[in-house]
Amino acid sequence: MTERPGRLRRITAEGELVPKDVSGLPEVFSSGQAGLFEVLISQDFASSGLVFLSYACGVESANHLCVARAKLGKDRLEDVEEIFRALPAKKGDAHYGGRMAQLPDASLIITLGDGFDFREQAQILGSHLGSVVRIGTDGVAPEDNPFIDSPDARPEVFSYGHRNVQGLVYDPVERLLISHEHGPRGGDEINVLRPGQNYGWPVISYGLDYTGARITPFTEYPNMEQPLLQWTPSIAPSGMTRYRGELFPEWQGDLFVGALADRSVRRVEFVDGKAEDVEALFKDLKARIRDVVTGPDGALYLLTDESDGRVLRVTPKP
């Protein structure tokens, strides 16, 4: 588990937090929304011991979303190597994205934000800001990336036109890469990510600026993808899983989306490429939900966003 200031923690199978942090992390820029974001266990971890970390690096006047790989020892990271750095550098401490997923071919999908003050960059293929990228575990862009032969594009770009993608899951059953992104005042979106596609931001949006001003007159535009589902007003989504466990058979294939502003987990039925928000769960916790994952035991695990945050395990009633 990661903590934003730059700490990597272990929790035992019995639910006990190991007091000592994992050491050896790369230097993390921690300020505002910047910090240590996600830890991803490599699909070949049993043999390689590899993990991947996404984090903000640099300083307030010039910083990036970075990804490092490392081997996880007993209580420290070893052979730490930066394999991706978003370009160009940006000023400020907002909208990094930082979610990761690994595809069956072992390539990494990494989400980015638009940097908040640089939203026009999301339509520029020569910038990583406001895009989703795909790299190999060595950091090299795969040869079948959609813009690999475009001289004006970053070779790592997989899709673009994103605002701040904070939820990502690869579903091996339907072979779908599903994301959600945090809109402004409204316009939170769920999308299926496909290579080379433009998801519209900031040319199209269902949301308003935080001042109440209209960002764009368009909610749709030629050659720009429509969301499968959008939330207005915003629920402030953060973290997502597609349930494929055995403990809750009635939820098989549903998406569970953590919500910060709504202080809930939204259950979204996802069938035949259509998404419908059907209920808000765990409102009684009255907590901002930062992440939700499906455990190997079939339980749902929730991470609360609080000064005294909690990891909660959800199982069926006896």
Side-chain angles (χ1 to χ4, degrees):
M1 182 186 69
T2 61
E3 294 179 341
R4 188 183 60 81
R7 295 184 292 267
L8 184 63
R9 310 296 300 275
R10 289 178 184 263
I11 299 174
T12 68
E14 293 73 35
E16 297 294 326
L17 179 66
V18 177
K20 185 178 180 181
D21 300 356
V22 177
S23 63
L25 271 70
E27 185 173 355
V28 173
F29 168 56
S30 177
S31 171
Q33 296 177 8
L36 180 61
F37 301 123
E38 186 164 36
V39 57
L40 176 69
I41 305 299
S42 178
Q43 60 193 24
D44 67 349
F45 178 81
S47 58
S48 71
L50 286 178
V51 298
F52 303 93
L53 297 168
S54 59
Y55 55 99
C57 61
V59 295
E60 196 278 337
S61 60
N63 57 81
H64 318 256
L65 183 282
C66 286
V67 173
R69 70 176 183 184
K71 288 189 176 182
L72 179 61
K74 181 178 180 181
D75 57 8
R76 67 174 286 106
L77 296 178
E78 302 170 350
D79 301 329
V80 180
E81 179 185 2
E82 180 185 303
I83 60 172
F84 176 77
R85 177 174 292 226
L87 297 172
K90 67 172 186 63
K91 183 179 180 180
D93 56 8
H95 287 198
Y96 291 88
R99 294 290 182 175
M100 298 182 290
Q102 198 166 19
L103 301 183
D105 65 0
S107 63
L108 293 175
I109 298 291
I110 306 159
T111 75
L112 290 104
D114 64 356
F116 190 77
D117 289 324
F118 311 96
R119 59 193 182 202
E120 294 79 8
Q121 295 280 315
Q123 289 295 318
I124 299 174
L125 289 171
S127 171
H128 288 132
L129 298 181
S131 74
V132 171
V133 300
R134 175 174 173 249
I135 61 173
T137 56
D138 57 0
V140 176
E143 289 298 320
D144 58 347
N145 266 6
F147 302 107
I148 194 76
D149 295 322
S150 301
D152 297 326
R154 298 280 178 186
E156 301 87 0
V157 173
F158 181 81
S159 63
Y160 64 110
H162 301 288
R163 183 175 183 269
N164 194 15
V165 183
Q166 294 194 28
L168 181 69
V169 61
Y170 176 74
D171 177 33
V173 176
E174 293 191 30
R175 300 181 181 180
L176 292 177
L177 188 62
I178 306 167
S179 74
H180 72 61
E181 60 187 88
H182 199 132
R185 290 180 60 181
D188 303 332
E189 299 180 357
I190 289 183
N191 293 294
V192 171
L193 297 181
R194 295 185 174 89
Q197 298 303 300
N198 182 350
Y199 290 82
W201 177 258
V203 178
I204 60 176
S205 177
Y206 287 87
L208 298 175
D209 214 339
Y210 293 114
T211 63
R214 179 183 289 184
I215 296 167
T216 171
F218 304 110
T219 56
E220 55 185 274
Y221 205 78
N223 301 315
M224 294 184 179
E225 298 297 302
Q226 279 288 295
L228 299 183
L229 182 152
Q230 64 91 16
W231 284 282
T232 301
S234 172
I235 65 168
S238 183
M240 178 172 65
T241 190
R242 190 171 194 191
Y243 189 75
R244 292 296 188 189
E246 297 180 355
L247 293 185
F248 300 98
E250 69 276 18
W251 288 349
Q252 191 67 213
D254 289 352
L255 295 172
F256 291 86
V257 179
L260 298 167
D262 192 60
R263 295 176 180 264
S264 69
V265 174
R266 306 302 282 261
R267 182 171 72 88
V268 176
E269 291 185 346
F270 188 85
V271 180
D272 297 330
K274 297 180 180 180
E276 180 183 0
D277 183 358
V278 292
E279 64 178 325
L281 302 172
F282 311 117
K283 295 280 281 189
D284 57 318
L285 295 175
K286 298 180 180 179
R288 288 162 52 90
I289 304 298
R290 174 58 66 180
D291 205 0
V292 52
V293 299
T294 306
D297 57 357
L300 283 178
Y301 288 83
L302 313 181
L303 176 65
T304 68
D305 187 307
E306 306 165 290
S307 58
D308 188 16
R310 296 170 288 169
V311 175
L312 305 173
R313 182 173 180 263
V314 180
T315 58
K317 291 182 179 180

